[in-house]
Amino acid sequence: MPSVEPGSDKSASSPKAGTADNISAAERELYGGRLRYDQSSSSSTAIRRTVEKYLGRHPGEREALAGLLAALDRPVDATARTTLPGQITCSAVIVDRQGRVLHLRHRVTGEFVLMPGVRIAPEDRTLLAAALRATVEEAGIAPNALCLTRQLLGSPIDIGVHDEAAHPPIGEPAHRHYDIRYVFYLADEELPTIARPDEEGSAAQWLPQAEVASPTLRAKLLAARLDGQPEPVNASVLIYDATGRYLLHLRDHKPGVVWASGEFALLGGGRTHDDQSLEGALMRELSEEVPDLRLEDVTPYAVEAATSIDGLSVPVQVFSGRWRGTDRLRLYEGVLLHWFTLDDLDRLRLDAATRDLIHRHAAENPPGIAPDAAPPVWDGSNKAVLNGIGVHLHLEDPEGRVLLGLRHPDSKYAGDTWHYPAGRCEQEPALACLVREVMEETGLVIDPADVELAHVAHVVDAAGVLPLMQLVFKARRWEGVPKVLEPDKCLTWKWWPQHALPERIVPYTRTAIAAISEGRHYSQLGW
């Protein structure tokens, strides 16, 4: 399957495997990133974190959950059956394609009620896993028949509070249940068969959300606008180059903890509540995992089905994007990255669905046919490679201040950073490119006769990126006032004193400004 996984707070520490709190970072793995949802482990500390996040969304319920918070603060196992006067359970709220909620017939009263919760067991990796166990034990619904929702991801929708009567046969007095509820959609259109071995006849009803008896849950369901239609909350990317190779990620070897442990997979990750889109989630994950990777032409390719480490059905949005660089990149998750040809795939520990996906993409995108096919990859050796040519305008006003533009935060290069008016040479002379780029970006008119070459910076921006020869020209005269003509690339133009340049400035731009003032004509950076 495509390698994507819902992620985790990367600022969190990584506890030792095997401890009660070990469901963080790599432990919350599903596919290729790390689990950011509130799928905390079942220790009191982790449950407390989940409850506090929940109260951050619903602060008005703190008083109602005071007893739960007090129980979690006591130096005992809050999940034990003997922990009274309150006990913690987990349950599932299942929504079908018509937006209806599953109700089960109560074994005693015969009324149709929400699915009962189950007490957390030692084998439950997470609270969400306990809720999934409830779907199996209470309704015979396997986790692979369910999927997460975009609105809630893996966060609980509600914490119900209700009183339980005493059970004298087992010596259990009256007590209170705190039920942590998770929402799931049906992965398929067909309603599942409800299997309750101790009952005959119909044991289930699907009721509209407005008829859910719990007032707190009913209000949250309606507010979340849960329509029951599954959609991807995970994203991965097929990274390929002009020669037909694919970049694959070797995952950490943590059997039972990491999905596809020790296998090659696609890079990617899970959407968080802060991500505005799946593509945004993917780009955030890549920036955190492989910060030097700059993809081109990122486009949606396919939606693939996968299965999470808890058995959930996971629809994954697969993107495709080209990378012209090396595979020797800084990697903050997993073991390594490596380019592979199609002939290599059968030799790898690679999920069959991922292998088929790559072959399908390769058949639709054969190498060497793109008119803008990538140049050879530079691997850091001394062999001959193409060098790109960039042009830049060094412009000084009568006070000696230099013109710089603040690049848009979403710019592919140097976002939220100050830089010269600049551009990359196409099929044209460098001076013609300079005149064109300056006019397009600023509206300034310059005559090539008024321009001279002031500095050359030979730059390697990042490991594996092809070198660039950055030509900095100085104009003696110009016409017009700088204007923002490409707001998607530049936010503003400003004249800066050369002794007080902004802190966030492209490094070779700063170098060039200093060199020009000192009369130096050449510099090199990144080699």
Side-chain angles (χ1 to χ4, degrees), residues 289-338:
E289 298 172 3
V290 197
D292 298 326
L293 185 68
R294 298 188 181 94
L295 296 182
E296 301 175 359
D297 307 323
V298 178
T299 56
Y301 176 66
V303 175
E304 296 290 305
T307 304
S308 81
I309 198 169
D310 288 317
L312 277 171
S313 176
V314 183
V316 181
Q317 175 64 65
V318 181
F319 292 83
S320 67
R322 292 189 304 169
W323 167 237
R324 299 171 183 244
T326 180
D327 51 12
R328 292 189 289 184
L329 299 164
R330 290 182 295 165
L331 180 65
Y332 292 112
E333 292 182 20
V335 179
L336 61 81
L337 293 170
H338 193 72

Side-chain angles (χ1 to χ4, degrees), residues 186-492:
L186 291 179
D188 299 317
E189 292 188 20
E190 186 176 348
L191 294 179
T193 300
I194 307 303
R196 305 182 83 188
D198 56 341
E199 291 198 13
E200 297 180 358
S202 176
Q205 276 191 355
W206 295 87
L207 300 178
Q209 296 175 32
E211 296 181 19
V212 171
S214 167
T216 59
L217 176 60
R218 182 173 64 246
K220 289 164 189 161
L221 287 169
L222 295 173
R225 299 181 182 276
L226 298 167
D227 59 8
Q229 304 301 311
E231 58 184 294
V233 294
N234 301 65
S236 67
V237 60
L238 285 158
I239 302 173
Y240 67 106
D241 69 5
T243 68
R245 300 182 303 173
Y246 286 80
L247 189 65
L248 296 178
H249 177 218
L250 179 59
R251 297 173 52 73
D252 293 311
H253 183 62
K254 294 187 177 181
V257 173
V258 177
W259 183 90
S261 173
E263 296 184 11
F264 283 94
L266 306 183
L267 285 167
R271 186 170 184 169
T272 72
H273 293 290
D274 295 327
D275 293 322
Q276 298 301 308
S277 66
L278 280 170
E279 183 174 351
L282 174 66
M283 303 316 288
R284 172 188 50 73
E285 282 287 340
L286 293 180
S287 69
E288 295 169 355
E289 298 172 3
V290 197
D292 298 326
L293 185 68
R294 298 188 181 94
L295 296 182
E296 301 175 359
D297 307 323
V298 178
T299 56
Y301 176 66
V303 175
E304 296 290 305
T307 304
S308 81
I309 198 169
D310 288 317
L312 277 171
S313 176
V314 183
V316 181
Q317 175 64 65
V318 181
F319 292 83
S320 67
R322 292 189 304 169
W323 167 237
R324 299 171 183 244
T326 180
D327 51 12
R328 292 189 289 184
L329 299 164
R330 290 182 295 165
L331 180 65
Y332 292 112
E333 292 182 20
V335 179
L336 61 81
L337 293 170
H338 193 72
W339 285 111
F340 292 101
T341 67
L342 297 182
D343 292 338
D344 295 325
L345 298 184
D346 288 337
R347 301 164 48 213
L348 306 179
R349 287 193 64 194
L350 181 67
D351 181 79
T354 303
R355 183 182 294 109
D356 293 344
L357 180 70
I358 294 173
H359 278 288
R360 187 167 82 241
H361 180 269
E364 297 169 1
N365 298 272
I369 65 169
D372 57 345
V377 174
W378 181 56
D379 60 6
S381 68
N382 292 324
K383 66 183 180 182
V385 297
L386 296 177
N387 280 233
I389 301 294
V391 295
H392 307 71
L393 179 63
H394 180 100
L395 207 60
E396 295 182 14
D397 69 1
E399 299 178 26
R401 298 178 301 175
V402 65
L403 181 66
L404 298 174
L406 180 60
R407 296 183 63 80
H408 193 283
D410 295 333
S411 175
K412 289 184 178 180
Y413 175 73
D416 198 29
T417 304
W418 294 87
H419 192 29
Y420 280 134
R424 188 77 64 87
C425 281
E426 299 174 6
Q427 194 71 22
E428 59 189 331
L431 275 179
C433 177
L434 178 74
V435 172
R436 174 182 58 79
E437 289 285 354
V438 171
M439 170 64 77
E440 292 174 355
E441 292 184 6
T442 70
L444 298 178
V445 178
I446 56 174
D447 187 331
D450 293 325
V451 173
E452 62 182 6
L453 182 64
H455 188 75
V456 176
H458 202 189
V459 178
V460 177
D461 277 330
V465 177
L466 288 173
L468 290 171
M469 195 69 73
Q470 307 289 23
L471 308 180
V472 183
F473 293 92
K474 187 174 183 178
R476 293 180 293 272
R477 287 180 291 275
W478 66 89
E479 296 179 9
V481 176
K483 301 176 183 177
V484 177
L485 299 182
E486 295 180 329
D488 59 323
K489 297 179 181 178
C490 179
L491 300 181
T492 186

Side-chain angles (χ1 to χ4, degrees), residues 35-56:
L35 186 65
R36 291 183 189 279
Y37 311 150
D38 295 339
Q39 297 178 26
S40 300
S41 75
S42 54
S43 72
S44 294
T45 301
I47 297 172
R48 176 73 187 237
R49 287 197 298 267
T50 296
V51 174
E52 288 294 349
K53 287 182 180 179
Y54 172 84
L55 289 173

Side-chain angles (χ1 to χ4, degrees), residues 58-76:
H58 307 287
E61 297 182 29
R62 183 168 291 274
E63 183 177 349
L65 298 180
L68 173 58
L69 295 172
L72 292 170
D73 286 338
R74 289 197 290 267
V76 295

